[in-house]
Amino acid sequence: MSDSLLQVNNLKTWFGNGEMPYRAVDGIGFSIRRGQTFALLGESGCGKSMTALSLLRLNPHPASRIVSGEVLLDGENLLPLSEAEMEAIRGRRISMIFQEPQSSLNPVLTVGQQIAEVLKWHFNMDAQAMQQRSLELLKSVGIPDPTQRIKEYPHQLSGGMKQRVMIAIALAGEPELLIADEPTTALDVTIQAQILDLLKDIQQKTGMAILLITHDLGVVAQMADHVAVMYAGQIVETASREQFFNDTRHPYTRKLFEALPSDQKREQKLTVIKGSVPPLNQDFNCCRFADRCDFAWQHCHDVEPRWLEPDNHGVRCHLFDPDVDAEHIKSEIRVTSSRLSDVVPADNALLDVKQLKVHFPIKKGILQRTVGHVKAVDNISLSLRPAETLALVGESGCGKTTVGKGILQLVPVTEGQVKYAGKQMTRMSEHELKEARASMQIIFQDPFSSMNPRMTITQVIEEGMLGSSIKNPADKQHKVDELLERVGLRPDIKHRYPHEFSGGQRQRICIARALAAEPEVIICDEPTSALDVSVQAQILNLLRDIQHEFGLSYLFITHNIAVVDYLAHRVAVMYLGRVVEEGRRDEVLNNPKHPYTQALLAAVPRIESDSEQQAIRLEGELPSPANPPQGCHFHQRCPHVMPRCREQYPDLTQLSRSHTVKCYLYEEDYGSTDSN
């Protein structure tokens, strides 16, 4: 293929040297053309990331080895090259955005130093030119206040900002091929839209190709030219974007579509793929998906399906093999679902937050004098009823996570009240606070940094039981096994350590730890952001089951609007430390009033193409919470800005009994005023 940039043939990457090696990547092949976006889908642990690492020869040594295959870049095989020759390719001709920015960025180097490393290695630039180029890259990926951020360290940035820094580092070398491993996982939809638009623009200008590893089918629908689905080390389906979304074939791919949450599925459980990816340290003489497939018959367990490619739509399944009689199975293909009634929250408030402020001091000079404050949370009021799910959405850095930490008193509260079950938490002693926290758990956004790397999984989960009634060691072990099964993990993994798991598996372990304390309230900080859709469906079903069974309340911090649509009862939208719109789920999502909420929802990538929907791209950058703009904080980016917006922050406007907004467009005196 003359325009093929990357050609992969029969690539195999195995772990171990024994008789039964772990076949992480087992004979895959694909090609990527110049300027093409090739999407690789699949469950956590199926080999997607190991495929990407193998292309750059970054697979861990000596634990793994590339057994066979070819990786041809412009016709040159990369596998026989020396390490010195590969160093000239990595970061320059092929760059990679890794899935977990926290473990990929160097904690002792500033953001600017880490970008400059790439520029210094691959380009002949002086210090001033590197500084200027670094600032341009940070600005291009939507980092607010880049002149300040370039001097900061990774731990000073939010999860979304760290991911954007990773993207800036990857783009610094102006690569021919960008391998993007879940590049928008930690990003809210507005920044995700900016990043995807940025990648598209770079493709158009430079002809850069993209290998996009993602679990977001909406992103695939928006970005991909060609799609491949991976399962248990093999590719099971490939197709163009149009073929993939209009004529899904493999049973595994169909299950992925059925597992997507939406408003239409609120009254039913999401489809879950039973079981888990089979152990890859075995010889497969059968279909690898057979044990989890609803349509498998004896032939699937006896014979491995061959690769078929009718009408350029590749699939590895006996259902589509003309030499196999499968008509009796095809007639039985159907979608089944379990009915699930919605939880009706109680009327009284279990958690009541009033005028909460969390301001962090900015200190400078030898004497470390306070010269200002970062107003991370600035006068927020929320209430949460028993058995209710309140979704808190907004851009990365707007203060959502700080709200959760402030409620639990994990960060000092500047002002405000937090009442739990009628008790004022801000006035509790340390002992009383510990007792209250036992009933209020938090699932953090970054699972890797929220677990002790020296603890086994058993110890991690048992840590959550310290305040529970379970004291007997045997009972604790039984509870650990039960919790692991409930979050979709095998109990036999409990003696392993956190670093031995994928990002999605680590998040499930964190959810099990939170459930171990038997809480009444769980603050969920992006609990499904690291999960593919099939595992996300398990977690969402689990959260709803527990809510039905025990009447749990969730403060659900997320940027995934589809999850909000499926799970939430009410929605609060945050912007720069304040709630700008709040109401019932259907009111906010189906009839958004605040211009920021409208832009947020318009930026959501959707599988169904809607020609009438116009994406609202926000101009400018999110202002710094250390120096918020005068008046309405959103006025610098608002398409409907009026003179008064620049002068004074709008008061709360009651649109209905449950729907409120802070915007002059809906004040009685200004609702009919033409926008400037």
Side-chain angles (χ1 to χ4, degrees):
M1 190 180 293
S2 59
D3 61 345
S4 176
L5 174 66
L6 185 77
Q7 178 76 44
V8 180
N9 300 318
N10 195 33
L11 180 65
K12 295 183 180 181
T13 304
W14 295 357
F15 284 76
N17 297 309
E19 293 183 4
M20 288 294 178
Y22 187 89
R23 305 164 191 262
V25 180
D26 198 19
I28 70 167
F30 58 88
S31 65
I32 303 176
R33 301 194 307 273
R34 296 180 186 278
Q36 182 187 51
T37 298
F38 186 94
L40 195 58
L41 287 168
E43 279 184 283
S44 180
C46 73
K48 307 186 302 296
S49 295
M50 189 53 60
T51 298
L53 292 172
S54 299
L55 299 182
L56 283 169
R57 301 244 310 272
L58 291 175
N59 54 297
H61 294 286
S64 69
R65 67 194 194 282
I66 297 177
V67 177
S68 67
E70 290 181 320
V71 178
L72 304 174
L73 180 65
D74 258 348
E76 180 184 16
N77 192 359
L78 303 184
L79 300 186
L81 297 183
S82 67
E83 185 61 25
E85 290 172 315
M86 283 302 300
E87 285 179 356
I89 291 174
R90 297 185 192 122
R92 182 65 181 94
R93 298 189 65 189
I94 305 178
S95 284
M96 184 166 179
I97 303 167
F98 295 94
Q99 182 175 0
E100 284 194 1
Q102 177 64 37
S103 56
S104 302
L105 294 171
N106 191 325
V108 300
L109 296 180
T110 65
V111 167
Q113 288 172 323
Q114 297 189 57
I115 298 175
E117 275 187 328
V118 181
L119 300 173
K120 186 177 180 180
W121 185 264
H122 294 293
F123 302 100
N124 185 21
M125 283 187 178
D126 57 30
Q128 184 177 356
M130 286 193 293
Q131 173 84 356
Q132 185 61 34
R133 179 60 179 151
S134 298
L135 288 171
E136 289 174 3
L137 287 163
L138 289 178
K139 187 176 181 180
S140 70
V141 297
I143 294 283
D145 197 7
T147 53
Q148 175 62 30
R149 298 296 186 187
I150 200 171
K151 297 179 286 188
E152 294 182 348
Y153 293 87
H155 73 273
Q156 296 175 276
L157 307 177
S158 68
M161 287 186 184
K162 281 192 279 245
Q163 187 66 289
R164 282 179 270 171
V165 169
M166 279 294 304
I167 295 171
I169 293 171
L171 295 177
E174 302 172 8
E176 298 171 52
L177 172 66
L178 177 66
I179 301 173
D181 189 358
E182 303 281 7
T184 59
T185 293
L187 305 182
D188 49 82
V189 289
T190 53
I191 300 301
Q192 174 178 266
Q194 289 180 20
I195 296 301
L196 297 180
D197 285 346
L198 171 67
L199 295 178
K200 283 181 180 177
D201 289 342
I202 293 171
Q203 269 190 313
Q204 292 174 356
K205 292 174 183 176
T206 67
M208 177 183 74
I210 299 176
L211 172 58
L212 179 66
I213 297 172
T214 183
H215 60 256
D216 191 329
L217 287 166
V219 171
V220 172
Q222 182 177 332
M223 289 288 293
D225 300 304
H226 209 82
V227 185
V229 181
M230 200 167 177
Y231 182 80
Q234 287 186 331
I235 289 177
V236 296
E237 184 169 1
T238 64
S240 67
R241 176 177 56 193
E242 290 74 18
Q243 289 174 320
F244 182 75
F245 286 100
N246 296 326
D247 184 24
T248 305
R249 294 185 177 178
H250 199 280
Y252 173 61
T253 313
R254 295 184 182 192
K255 285 286 189 182
L256 292 180
F257 276 90
E258 292 168 19
L260 288 172
S262 68
D263 174 37
Q264 291 76 23
K265 298 178 182 177
R266 279 183 68 87
E267 295 183 358
Q268 67 189 51
K269 286 191 175 183
L270 296 173
T271 299
V272 172
I273 306 176
K274 61 186 178 183
S276 56
V277 179
L280 301 181
N281 57 340
Q282 59 179 304
D283 287 322
F284 288 96
N285 297 313
C286 61
C287 174
R288 302 185 182 197
F289 189 60
D291 290 338
R292 309 177 70 191
C293 183
D294 293 338
F295 318 114
W297 73 103
Q298 191 57 45
H299 187 69
C300 301
H301 295 277
D302 296 338
V303 179
E304 185 173 5
R306 61 194 178 105
W307 180 254
L308 306 162
E309 204 161 354
D311 53 41
N312 294 320
H313 189 153
V315 65
R316 191 185 299 275
C317 181
H318 290 309
L319 288 171
F320 300 93
D321 193 334
D323 297 334
V324 175
D325 181 14
E327 290 304 318
H328 63 295
I329 300 296
K330 289 181 181 179
S331 64
E332 296 178 9
I333 293 180
R334 62 195 178 278
V335 177
T336 59
S337 60
S338 303
R339 299 292 294 177
L340 183 66
S341 59
D342 204 357
V343 178
V344 180
D347 292 330
N348 59 304
L350 176 65
L351 180 68
D352 194 16
V353 180
K354 289 186 178 178
Q355 298 177 328
L356 182 69
K357 293 184 180 181
V358 181
H359 296 177
F360 298 105
I362 302 171
K363 297 187 177 183
K364 288 185 178 180
I366 298 174
L367 299 178
Q368 289 292 285
R369 289 175 176 163
T370 300
V371 296
H373 288 86
V374 175
K375 298 178 180 179
V377 177
D378 196 24
N379 201 12
I380 274 186
S381 297
L382 297 170
S383 65
L384 185 62
R385 297 175 292 173
E388 182 181 46
T389 300
L390 172 63
L392 193 60
V393 299
E395 284 182 283
S396 180
C398 73
K400 305 188 301 294
T401 298
T402 309
V403 170
K405 291 180 179 179
I407 289 171
L408 288 175
Q409 313 295 295
L410 296 177
V411 293
V413 173
T414 307
E415 285 183 28
Q417 295 181 345
V418 178
K419 284 186 179 180
Y420 171 66
K423 296 180 181 179
Q424 178 60 264
M425 289 187 66
T426 51
R427 297 174 186 169
M428 286 183 178
S429 65
E430 192 65 30
H431 177 72
E432 291 174 322
L433 201 54
K434 284 183 178 179
E435 289 185 353
R437 283 177 182 156
S439 299
M440 300 174 68
Q441 292 292 302
I442 185 167
I443 302 167
F444 292 100
Q445 180 177 0
D446 189 344
F448 187 71
S449 60
S450 65
M451 285 190 283
N452 190 328
R454 297 182 179 180
M455 283 186 174
T456 64
I457 301 311
T458 294
Q459 293 170 323
V460 167
I461 297 176
E462 284 184 348
E463 193 178 29
M465 299 182 196
L466 293 176
S468 74
S469 58
I470 303 173
K471 304 299 180 185
N472 186 285
D475 292 341
K476 285 186 176 182
Q477 288 296 310
H478 178 72
K479 184 69 173 178
V480 169
D481 292 349
E482 180 185 305
L483 287 166
L484 287 173
E485 287 179 344
R486 291 196 79 171
V487 297
L489 294 172
R490 298 193 307 271
D492 60 7
I493 58 96
K494 64 185 178 182
H495 301 299
R496 291 158 63 183
Y497 290 86
H499 72 272
E500 299 179 72
F501 297 92
S502 67
Q505 290 168 326
R506 282 196 284 261
Q507 190 64 287
R508 281 181 273 173
I509 292 165
C510 289
I511 293 171
R513 177 179 60 186
L515 296 174
E518 301 174 354
E520 292 184 359
V521 174
I522 298 181
I523 297 171
C524 307
D525 188 2
E526 304 278 10
T528 61
S529 65
L531 307 182
D532 47 78
V533 289
S534 58
V535 181
Q536 175 180 268
Q538 288 183 13
I539 298 303
L540 296 180
N541 284 343
L542 172 65
L543 292 174
R544 287 195 66 173
D545 285 343
I546 294 168
Q547 192 170 57
H548 275 75
E549 188 175 350
F550 302 110
L552 284 186
S553 303
Y554 301 127
L555 177 61
F556 204 91
I557 299 167
T558 184
H559 61 259
N560 191 328
I561 301 300
V563 170
V564 172
D565 219 358
Y566 176 73
L567 198 65
H569 296 97
R570 288 189 298 123
V571 181
V573 182
M574 271 189 80
Y575 185 80
L576 208 63
R578 298 185 181 183
V579 171
V580 297
E581 185 168 0
E582 184 179 357
R584 295 196 317 269
R585 172 196 55 84
D586 57 321
E587 290 175 324
V588 175
L589 299 188
N590 298 336
N591 189 25
K593 295 298 184 182
H594 199 282
Y596 175 64
T597 310
Q598 294 169 356
L600 201 66
L601 297 178
V604 177
R606 290 177 170 83
I607 293 175
E608 304 85 4
S609 59
D610 187 354
S611 57
E612 296 181 2
Q613 180 183 349
Q614 296 294 322
I616 304 170
R617 294 291 181 256
L618 293 179
E619 298 295 329
E621 302 170 352
L622 181 72
S624 171
N627 185 27
Q630 185 180 355
C632 175
H633 291 170
F634 188 61
H635 80 259
Q636 296 171 335
R637 308 170 74 189
C638 182
H640 308 291
V641 63
M642 298 179 288
R644 193 176 183 186
C645 301
R646 301 183 177 94
E647 299 168 2
Q648 187 177 353
Y649 200 90
D651 293 328
L652 191 71
T653 300
Q654 197 82 31
L655 300 174
S656 71
R657 185 179 176 185
S658 55
H659 195 181
T660 60
V661 66
K662 292 180 181 178
C663 181
Y664 286 124
L665 288 171
Y666 305 98
E667 276 199 353
E668 188 175 350
D669 295 338
Y670 293 87
S672 60
T673 304
D674 292 335
S675 59
N676 290 343

